[in-house]
Amino acid sequence: GPAGTTPNGPRTSSSIHEGHNMVEYLSDIKVTLRPATIEDADLIGPRLRQSDAAELLAASGLSAADSLRFSIKASQGGFCMIAITDGGEPVLIWGVAPSPTEGVGIPWMVATPEIYNPQYLRTFKKLCGEWVERMNKQFPLLINYVDHRNVTSILWLQALGFTFIELVPNYGHGKLPFWKFMRASNNV
């Protein structure tokens, strides 16, 4: 659907109260997490949500697969993971790349429309929270940019504890407004 909407509608807010069910959902949905490889760019790139593909194009001027190849390579000094269903469908790919500044990491994540399945949404909200904590252990400060049109990702980042610092008016290849966001570990 359009940016900022989910098939769940208002039910998404109630998932906070269902947090104790998260682990059960994880075992029910049979998703494999593994380190991502360069080849995964071709597996997940063409299947991305339209909002994520549009953001990658605006930021880099590259196709989703080419942009992901770059991100996967850049994340070698950090980590990069992919989640794939038992049916072989990729759901999301995420990682963190070291920045030139010591202690600063560049977090990123893109997903396929498969993530809107309510069982995945609950599970991956928990999973992403755990992985963001891991990112912040490795890099006390996480900083990146998100396309201002990508409302779904902005809401997701807010839920994961990221703060929006400034709106950069002419960001990247497409010279579009992007929000700069950050998250500091508790020890900073």
Side-chain angles (χ1 to χ4, degrees):
T5 63
T6 65
N8 288 26
R11 277 185 52 217
T12 51
S13 61
S14 69
S15 65
I16 296 159
H17 307 295
E18 297 163 7
H20 61 280
N21 292 333
M22 295 278 192
V23 175
E24 291 153 36
Y25 278 110
L26 189 55
S27 60
D28 287 349
I29 61 174
K30 296 185 173 64
V31 169
T32 303
L33 303 183
R34 62 164 172 76
T37 64
I38 295 294
E39 291 74 34
D40 288 326
D42 292 316
L43 176 68
I44 196 168
R47 294 175 164 93
L48 290 186
R49 295 179 292 189
Q50 191 278 330
S51 56
D52 284 340
E55 177 176 312
L56 293 175
L57 181 63
S60 67
L62 300 173
S63 72
D66 285 343
S67 185
L68 282 171
R69 264 189 281 283
F70 176 84
S71 296
I72 294 165
K73 278 184 198 153
S75 299
Q76 284 170 351
F79 60 77
C80 181
M81 301 293 290
I82 189 167
I84 300 176
T85 66
D86 273 10
E89 281 298 312
V91 183
L92 77 164
I93 185 169
W94 71 98
V96 63
S99 85
T101 308
E102 183 67 30
V104 178
I106 304 163
W108 59 275
M109 185 202 98
V110 289
T112 67
E114 199 66 41
I115 199 164
Y116 294 124
N117 178 324
Q119 61 185 1
Y120 294 138
L121 207 54
R122 289 193 189 116
T123 300
F124 287 122
K125 177 124 181 344
K126 178 180 188 292
L127 261 183
C128 288
E130 291 169 3
W131 281 95
V132 166
E133 290 297 330
R134 288 190 203 190
M135 289 178 187
N136 254 155
K137 277 197 179 77
Q138 188 173 356
F139 301 100
L141 192 58
L142 299 172
I143 298 177
N144 205 346
Y145 298 83
V146 60
D147 190 329
H148 81 291
R149 301 169 299 174
N150 200 342
V151 178
T152 308
S153 290
I154 289 169
L155 293 171
W156 189 261
L157 287 162
Q158 282 177 322
L160 291 170
F162 285 90
T163 305
F164 294 83
I165 310 167
E166 66 174 315
L167 187 62
V168 179
N170 298 306
Y171 183 84
H173 175 83
K175 303 284 184 236
L176 291 173
F178 270 59
W179 281 103
K180 183 178 186 179
F181 63 87
M182 61 151 287
R183 187 180 194 273
S185 73
N186 299 332
N187 342 335
V188 171

